[in-house]
Structures are given as structure tokens and as C-alpha cells.
């Protein structure tokens, strides 16, 4: 092993001659271009490199996993009757709806309790997890407000739910042009983002949305008129018209009604009969579909006509639910409270 370098490198050279460079002096003593490092020096050099490698290969990837976990655990944003969710570790798959349906429930401003009931009934069916194959919006439609209390209470509903349409061009009379005003207003309101179908519905009909969506899913998207045929003893959709309890029109027919002189000049009268008249005069609605007996009236103890019959597993809509007991009977038959879990906060016998 070569001797350690002298303290004074300049005076340690042979013949007492000074050395012109440090490099030359190191070569005379058997060293290469650079001095050898001790074990402690090597450790000081290698330690930062090891730490960098550890951070890059182990800590850095975990940081992304942590961020992903935090994103997955974050609460979803609120929406109107709809939301989407994904399990941790799974990629969320958003399925494009087969079609878009707007249901306009024509009602009166004073019927707060009925709207509350309908919001629950339709809200439960539109909740996440029900996997409807269509995008469905439900809106409550009435004419201009004419009472002081309505001008306060209805805005509260709008703030809370955002599902009210107030028509400006009509008085509150179903046969006074309200249906025409509704359809022509909808054509303008949603011109930039049209629906495939628009349904006019009474506030005393209960629609089972999965069954309605399945039925409409097989229908054409143009020149389509769908509902329960009138008269009640007929199954021919071309004979007269669809009952006003609830009928659907394709978007092109809604646009035609909004711009048609035929509809504008025949807007006052029995509303469902007038809709059939518009289409007949205009040569429209060539694709007509009768949904009876799946759309029907509530059966009275003594039936009035053939539009009435019992609830069925295949029922799409039940009309003439004029009272809460009738609504309760229908909802019980279709097992609407099946999801209620036991709790210490209530006991329902």
C-alpha cells in the first residue's frame, strides 16, 4: 500500500524542485487522476442516490393510489332525480340513454300535497340503482299564478326542486287551451336540447317508469302517437284519439303542433280529442300505438266502462287515483315500500 501523502505536497518532491501541478504530484505517489474514496465517503455519496431510488419506485406510485382513493371516497355531486356512482377500484361506465322523455304533469298551483306525493313516487323510480335505460324528466305544469300565497309558495318549490313550468299564455282550465300552450312552450324551451318524446299526463295517473320506458323503447322516434285509445271498447289507435290521462308524442310532432295553424286555430275544447283532431287534419301521427290494457283506469266497485280494470303485473299506468287511499292501494299492490328497512326510529305495523 503506498505511503500516505505528505502534509506539504510541494516540499515532498525529489530534488526539492517544486511541482507545477497537483495532478503530477498525485501521479508520482501512485494515485490515478482522482484520489481514492474511503468507505465513509462512499456511503455519503451513495445514500442520497438510494433515497432517490426509494422515493421514485415506492413512494411516488403510492401517492397516485392515495389520490385515487380520496377521489373515489368523495361524495357525489347532487342532481335532479339522478346520480352516478362507482365502486372503489372499478372504472365507472356511463351508459348513454336509449332516448330522452319529458313527462309534463298538468296540474294546478294549489295542489301542493299532490305534487309532494308525485315527487316521491317518481323520485324513487328515478333514484340511482334503478337502471332505467332512458333519461326521464318530470315537470309540473300550470298556468299563471293568480293568488298572493301562490306567488310565495310556488317559488319555494322552484327553489327546492326546480321542476316547475309556469305557462304564461293560458288560464287554469285544461280544456281552455292549456295542452296546446304546454306543447308549444316545450318546443321553444327545449329547442336546443330536444327530447325524443314528450308525454302529457294528468296529476291523478301513476306511471311505472321502468314499464313505460320499456314500452316506449320499442317505438319509432318520428311521427309517433302513443297512449290508450278512445273509445274504451276500441283497440284501434286510428279510430279516434288517445285518452288524456297520458299520451306521448314524438318530438317532431311537438314541433309541428307549435308551428301549425291547425293546432293554433283549434286550441280550445276537449284537449285529448283536439290532439287527435290536429293530427288527423294535418295528416300526422302515422305511427300510432295503443298501450291498453296496460294503461287503464282505476276499477270502481261498479265499473263505468271498459277502460277500468284491476291492477296487473304488466300495468304501465293507472288513472283516476283521485284520493290518497286509492294511491295507497296502488302503491301497495306494486310493492313500492319494499325497500323500507327496520329502524328504532319508527314502527309500522
Amino acid at each position: 500500500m503506498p505511503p500516505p501523502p505528505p502534509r506539504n505536497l510541494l516540499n515532498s518532491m525529489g530534488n526539492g524542485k517544486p511541482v507545477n501541478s497537483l495532478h503530477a504530484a498525485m501521479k508520482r505517489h501512485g494515485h490515478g487522476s482522482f484520489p481514492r474514496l474511503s468507505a465513509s465517503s462512499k456511503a455519503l455519496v451513495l445514500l442520497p442516490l438510494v433515497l432517490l431510488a426509494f422515493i421514485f419506485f415506492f413512494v411516488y406510485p403510492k401517492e397516485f393510489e392515495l389520490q385515487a382513493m380520496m377521489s373515489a371516497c368523495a361524495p357525489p355531486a347532487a342532481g335532479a332525480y339522478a346520480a352516478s356512482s362507482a365502486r372503489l377500484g372499478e372504472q365507472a361506465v356511463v351508459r348513454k340513454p336509449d332516448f330522452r322523455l319529458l313527462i309534463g304533469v298538468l296540474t294546478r298551483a294549489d295542489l301542493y300535497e299532490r305534487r309532494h306525493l308525485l315527487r316521491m313516487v317518481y323520485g324513487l323510480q328515478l333514484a340511482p340503482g334503478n337502471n332505467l335505460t332512458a333519461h326521464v324528466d318530470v315537470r309540473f305544469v300550470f298556468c299563471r299564478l293568480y293568488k298572493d300565497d301562490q306567488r310565495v309558495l310556488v317559488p319555494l318549490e322552484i327553489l327546492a326542486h326546480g321542476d316547475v313550468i309556469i305557462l304564461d299564455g293560458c288560464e287554469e282550465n285544461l280544456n281552455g287551451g292549456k295542452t296546446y300552450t304546454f306543447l308549444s312552450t316545450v318546443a321553444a324551451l327545449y329547442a336546443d336540447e330536444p327530447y325524443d318524446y314528450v308525454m302529457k299526463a294528468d296529476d291523478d295517473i301513476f306511471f311505472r317508469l321502468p314499464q313505460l320506458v320499456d314500452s316506449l323503447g320499442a317505438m319509432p322516434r318520428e311521427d309517433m302517437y302513443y297512449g290508450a285509445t278512445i273509445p274504451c271498447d276500441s283497440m284501434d289507435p286510428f279510430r279516434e284519439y288517445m285518452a288524456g290521462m297520458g299520451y306521448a308524442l314524438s318530438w317532431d310532432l311537438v314541433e309541428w303542433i307549435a308551428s301549425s295553424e291547425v293546432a293554433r286555430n283549434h286550441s280550445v275544447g276537449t284537449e285529448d280529442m283536439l290532439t287527435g283532431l290536429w293530427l288527423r287534419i294535418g295528416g300526422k301521427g302515422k305511427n300510432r300505438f295503443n298501450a291498453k290494457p296496460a294503461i287503464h283506469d282505476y276499477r270502481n266497485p261498479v265499473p263505468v266502462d271498459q277502460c277500468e280494470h284491476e291492477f296487473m303485473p304488466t300495468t304501465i299506468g293507472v288513472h283516476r287515483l283521485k284520493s290518497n287511499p286509492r294511491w295507497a292501494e296502488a302503491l301497495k299492490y306494486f310493492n313500492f315500500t319494499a325497500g323500507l328497512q327496520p329502524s328504532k326510529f319508527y314502527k309500522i305495523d
Side-chain angles (χ1 to χ4, degrees):
M1 183 175 179
R7 295 180 181 179
N8 190 340
L9 190 59
L10 293 177
N11 295 328
S12 64
M13 305 304 163
N15 302 324
K17 295 181 180 180
V19 180
N20 294 328
S21 69
L22 178 62
H23 178 69
M26 292 174 64
K27 287 188 70 175
R28 289 187 58 186
H29 287 272
H31 294 279
S33 299
F34 296 97
R36 293 183 179 180
L37 299 176
S38 64
S40 59
S41 298
K42 292 178 180 178
L44 290 174
V45 173
L46 291 175
L47 182 59
L49 296 176
V50 172
L51 289 175
L52 285 173
F54 177 79
I55 291 172
F56 184 80
F57 288 108
F58 295 95
V59 177
Y60 196 60
K62 294 295 183 182
E63 177 69 15
F64 282 105
E65 292 183 16
L66 180 60
Q67 292 179 9
M69 291 174 62
M70 293 176 66
S71 299
C73 293
Y81 294 143
S84 62
S85 61
R87 293 188 182 91
L88 186 63
E90 294 181 356
Q91 184 178 2
V93 177
V94 179
R95 184 183 186 277
K96 184 179 179 180
D98 293 343
F99 61 88
R100 285 165 44 83
L101 168 65
L102 173 66
I103 301 177
V105 179
L106 273 61
T107 184
R108 301 197 309 275
D110 285 336
L111 299 181
Y112 303 103
E113 181 183 357
R114 176 59 55 82
R115 288 195 294 279
H116 174 67
L117 173 60
L118 289 170
R119 284 189 181 105
M120 290 191 294
V121 168
Y122 290 128
L124 286 171
Q125 296 182 80
L126 291 168
N130 288 339
N131 300 320
L132 288 182
T133 58
H135 176 95
V136 181
D137 288 325
V138 179
R139 298 292 181 263
F140 298 97
V141 183
F142 33 84
C143 295
R144 64 173 64 94
L145 307 179
Y146 60 94
K147 294 181 181 178
D148 289 339
D149 61 307
Q150 294 174 352
R151 297 187 182 98
V152 176
L153 300 181
V154 171
L156 282 179
E157 287 187 74
I158 295 173
L159 288 170
H161 304 290
D163 58 2
V164 170
I165 296 176
I166 301 176
L167 304 174
D168 190 45
C170 67
E171 298 297 332
E172 198 55 79
N173 183 339
L174 186 59
N175 294 324
K178 184 175 181 179
T179 296
Y180 169 75
T181 304
F182 163 64
L183 294 173
S184 58
T185 299
V186 162
L189 288 176
Y190 300 104
D192 294 336
E193 194 175 4
Y195 290 86
D196 294 291
Y197 304 117
V198 175
M199 173 166 271
K200 175 265 170 182
D202 289 346
D203 61 9
D204 62 344
I205 189 170
F206 161 48
F207 277 115
R208 301 173 70 202
L209 295 184
Q211 287 72 20
L212 176 62
V213 165
D214 287 346
S215 181
L216 283 175
M219 300 295 109
R221 300 290 190 264
E222 295 183 352
D223 207 24
M224 199 281 299
Y225 184 30
Y226 168 100
T229 57
I230 293 295
C232 289
D233 61 356
S234 173
M235 297 296 284
D236 180 7
F238 292 91
R239 179 175 171 181
E240 292 290 343
Y241 55 91
M242 304 299 177
M245 64 177 82
Y247 55 85
L249 299 164
S250 56
W251 182 257
D252 61 305
L253 291 182
V254 175
E255 289 183 313
W256 175 79
I257 290 170
S259 61
S260 170
E261 292 293 332
V262 172
R264 186 179 298 110
N265 295 333
H266 300 83
S267 61
V268 177
T270 305
E271 63 90 16
D272 49 3
M273 184 184 298
L274 285 177
T275 302
L277 177 66
W278 302 335
L279 300 179
R280 185 165 60 253
I281 294 175
K284 301 291 184 178
K286 292 182 176 61
N287 298 312
R288 300 191 179 200
F289 297 89
N290 173 34
K292 291 193 309 189
I295 297 179
H296 59 90
D297 284 334
Y298 177 90
R299 181 179 175 85
N300 288 294
V302 179
V304 176
D305 52 44
Q306 295 182 38
C307 288
E308 298 182 18
H309 60 76
E310 296 86 355
F311 306 134
M312 307 180 300
T314 55
T315 290
I316 293 174
V318 184
H319 182 228
R320 290 184 180 170
L321 301 180
K322 300 289 187 182
S323 64
N324 286 344
R326 287 191 177 187
W327 275 96
E329 183 181 349
L331 295 172
K332 181 179 180 180
Y333 177 88
F334 295 111
N335 207 18
F336 246 63
T337 59
L340 186 67
Q341 300 296 319
S343 173
K344 65 180 181 180
F345 295 104
Y346 51 76
K347 182 179 180 181
I348 301 175
D349 297 326

